[in-house]
Amino acid sequence: MEIGRNKEPVISKRANREGKIMFLCVLPFLCLVFLFAYFPLHGWIYSLFDYKPALGLSGSEFVGLKWFRMLISSETQVAQIVQVMKNTFAMSFLGIATSIFPVAFAILLNEVKWKWFKSLVQTLTTLPNFISWVLVYTIAFSLFSTTGLLNTLLEEWGLITDPIKFLDSGNHTWLMMCLWNIWKGLGWGAIMYLAAIAGIDPELYEAGRIDGASRFQLMRHITLPALMPTFLVMLMLSIANLLNNGMDQYFVFQNAFNKETIQVLDLYVYNIGLGGNSLSLATAISMLKSLVSVALLAIVNIASKKIRGSSII
């Protein structure tokens, strides 16, 4: 008994020492999170001033909630925000609706028996994720502009007389952005599901084959159910980030013809702040967006607890 009692303090000290070492390993990353995610929140104070960069914050006039009242008092501003939110929700819901594509792609790619072909397809579909949206637009312009490859071929073949305006038109903007998103992120989005498939117990497949299940039945009754927990977590995170479309994709594709239908909330904040030189109004809009995103995350987390029995954060 005395030997056991002597071992307990030793184990406790070792555990405490290892815990401190692990905390010190994590500490730099916590500092980075605080520096880039939480420290910039002090900039919300700009929404209470009529900020002029030349005067600085101390020389700018304090206006209180003027910019927040302006968002709902001006009919023009309200109409713009309604259109922007319409674009934002449309892009987000299209992204959520097509989030099943990486799951299907991962399942089908896993069924490929030729390893060299499987690796080639995975590499080719993952590479677009590492291409910047500026280069993507360059590719799109070369192919789909009025003087691009597709219009040139169609005119030479006599199928059209006037060039089709793929890029400089507000028609089907939501669908086009969704298709470019799928092309760019399909392979990258499938990586997580391929990793989940690799973790499935092979004995489940062996038992299914012994019972006479075909390959499609194995995919339907073993692979797909095993991916559902991962898919649901990703789906809930997408819902929580409903207002966060990013702006780089829409910024490079926007022009005078499609600005009304391509301008999502992040791009609108950028255009208001830097394009319209109204940093205070842009800060107010961005602040409201952050608060709504946090509220959505809380709602999704509560829903996850009730549906799955566990939270996502």
Side-chain angles (χ1 to χ4, degrees), residues 15 27 46 51 83 106 191 234 238 266 297 300-301 308 313:
L27 185 60
Y46 288 86
Y51 178 67
Q83 180 61 42
I191 289 178
M234 299 302 296
S238 298
D266 289 322
L297 180 59
V300 168
N301 197 47
R308 302 175 60 248
I313 56 175

Side-chain angles (χ1 to χ4, degrees), residues 33-42:
V33 170
F34 173 79
L35 182 63
F36 291 100
Y38 292 101
F39 180 72
L41 293 180
H42 83 281

Side-chain angles (χ1 to χ4, degrees), residues 240-282:
N241 288 295
L242 205 61
L243 300 181
N244 298 320
N245 301 93
M247 60 154 283
D248 43 358
Q249 173 188 1
Y250 310 102
F251 177 76
V252 296
F253 276 91
Q254 75 168 345
N255 52 57
F257 302 97
N258 64 9
K259 186 175 182 180
E260 183 178 352
T261 54
I262 202 174
Q263 192 168 222
V264 295
L265 190 57
D266 289 322
L267 180 58
Y268 180 68
V269 170
Y270 173 85
N271 289 335
I272 288 291
L274 296 182
N277 198 26
S278 183
L279 297 175
S280 298
L281 178 59

